[in-house]
């Protein structure tokens, strides 16, 4: 962690002078004597120095904040990886996962003109070779899913292709 400097007052506390000369900040009167003028100049310099110290401290805090945000983002990404390891889909037995795959691939029926299946219209079947759709998409998730999909003949029993569109 970056050390953060405390505010340094390079001059003596001028609050007594501030209180004494407060009327000068409220009216347009000139300072009464050279000592008051010097005191006000020192007070101004002190405030300018403190503003500079505050700016420096704010820059350091901003740098530390950026560093912390970066670390937080990295940790959040790692937590996501941990969460993926604990996800229930990894613990499903192969036969249950295969049944889920089969449920994602509606079984079509031929009506004499077009294939229909489980409430899907024929446009759903026109993309039978689309790699972004079931059963093809299962081969692109991970090694386990690829192996299950490839070795599940029921997934590949029907691959509808609309020959009019081909």
């Amino acid at each position: 962690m970056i050390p953060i400097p405390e505010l340094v007052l390079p001059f003596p506390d001028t609050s007594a002078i501030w209180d004494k000369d407060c009327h000068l900040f409220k009216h347009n009167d000139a300072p009464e004597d050279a000592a008051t003028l010097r005191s006000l100049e020192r007070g101004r310099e002190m405030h300018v120095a403190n503003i500079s110290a505050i700016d420096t401290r704010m820059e350091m805090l901003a740098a530390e904040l950026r560093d912390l945000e970066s670390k937080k983002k990295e940790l959040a990404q790692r937590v996501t990886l941990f969460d993926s390891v604990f996800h229930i889909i990894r613990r499903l037995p192969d036969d249950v996962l295969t049944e889920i795959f089969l449920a994602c691939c509606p079984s079509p029926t031929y009506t004499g003109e077009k294939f229909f299946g489980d409430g899907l219209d024929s446009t759903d079947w026109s993309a039978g070779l689309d790699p972004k759709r079931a059963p093809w998409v299962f081969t692109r998730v991970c090694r386990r899913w690829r192996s299950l999909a490839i070795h599940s003949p029921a997934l590949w029993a029907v691959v509808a292709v609309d020959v009019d569109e081909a």
Side-chain angles (χ1 to χ4, degrees), residues 89-110:
I89 197 79
R90 288 187 178 215
R91 296 189 305 268
L92 289 178
D94 289 353
D95 58 329
V96 173
L97 195 54
T98 301
E99 288 298 321
I100 293 171
F101 290 173
L102 288 169
C104 293
C105 298
S107 55
T109 55
Y110 185 64

Side-chain angles (χ1 to χ4, degrees), residues 42-105:
R42 282 195 312 267
R44 182 187 180 284
E45 290 170 359
M46 180 188 77
H47 286 77
V48 168
N50 277 335
I51 288 172
S52 178
I54 289 171
D55 285 342
T56 300
R57 186 169 182 200
M58 288 173 61
E59 289 170 10
M60 294 172 80
L61 289 171
E64 184 176 358
L65 180 61
R66 284 189 301 273
D67 184 49
L68 289 172
E69 287 172 342
S70 174
K71 288 178 183 175
K72 178 184 174 185
K73 184 178 178 181
E74 180 181 337
L75 290 172
Q77 290 171 341
R78 289 182 181 180
V79 167
T80 300
L81 292 175
F82 277 105
D83 290 346
S84 71
V85 170
F86 299 125
H87 199 280
I88 192 163
I89 197 79
R90 288 187 178 215
R91 296 189 305 268
L92 289 178
D94 289 353
D95 58 329
V96 173
L97 195 54
T98 301
E99 288 298 321
I100 293 171
F101 290 173
L102 288 169
C104 293
C105 298

Side-chain angles (χ1 to χ4, degrees), residues 9-162:
L9 300 178
F11 301 100
D13 182 20
T14 59
S15 58
I17 296 171
W18 180 271
D19 293 339
K20 178 182 140 226
D21 295 320
C22 182
H23 71 282
L24 294 173
F25 302 114
K26 295 179 182 176
H27 304 287
N28 207 16
D29 298 337
E32 297 169 4
D33 55 36
T36 302
L37 188 58
R38 283 191 305 276
S39 176
L40 290 170
E41 287 172 348
R42 282 195 312 267
R44 182 187 180 284
E45 290 170 359
M46 180 188 77
H47 286 77
V48 168
N50 277 335
I51 288 172
S52 178
I54 289 171
D55 285 342
T56 300
R57 186 169 182 200
M58 288 173 61
E59 289 170 10
M60 294 172 80
L61 289 171
E64 184 176 358
L65 180 61
R66 284 189 301 273
D67 184 49
L68 289 172
E69 287 172 342
S70 174
K71 288 178 183 175
K72 178 184 174 185
K73 184 178 178 181
E74 180 181 337
L75 290 172
Q77 290 171 341
R78 289 182 181 180
V79 167
T80 300
L81 292 175
F82 277 105
D83 290 346
S84 71
V85 170
F86 299 125
H87 199 280
I88 192 163
I89 197 79
R90 288 187 178 215
R91 296 189 305 268
L92 289 178
D94 289 353
D95 58 329
V96 173
L97 195 54
T98 301
E99 288 298 321
I100 293 171
F101 290 173
L102 288 169
C104 293
C105 298
S107 55
T109 55
Y110 185 64
T111 63
E113 295 180 15
K114 295 183 177 185
F115 278 99
F116 292 94
D118 298 343
L120 299 174
D121 64 27
S122 62
T123 59
D124 290 315
W125 290 103
S126 65
L129 298 176
D130 184 353
K132 295 178 183 173
R133 300 188 55 166
W136 308 99
V137 71
F138 303 133
T139 66
R140 301 174 63 204
V141 175
C142 64
R143 279 181 268 178
R144 177 179 176 219
W145 284 32
R146 179 179 179 82
S147 178
L148 278 174
I150 290 172
H151 295 100
S152 300
L155 283 177
W156 308 100
V158 177
V159 177
V161 178
D162 188 348

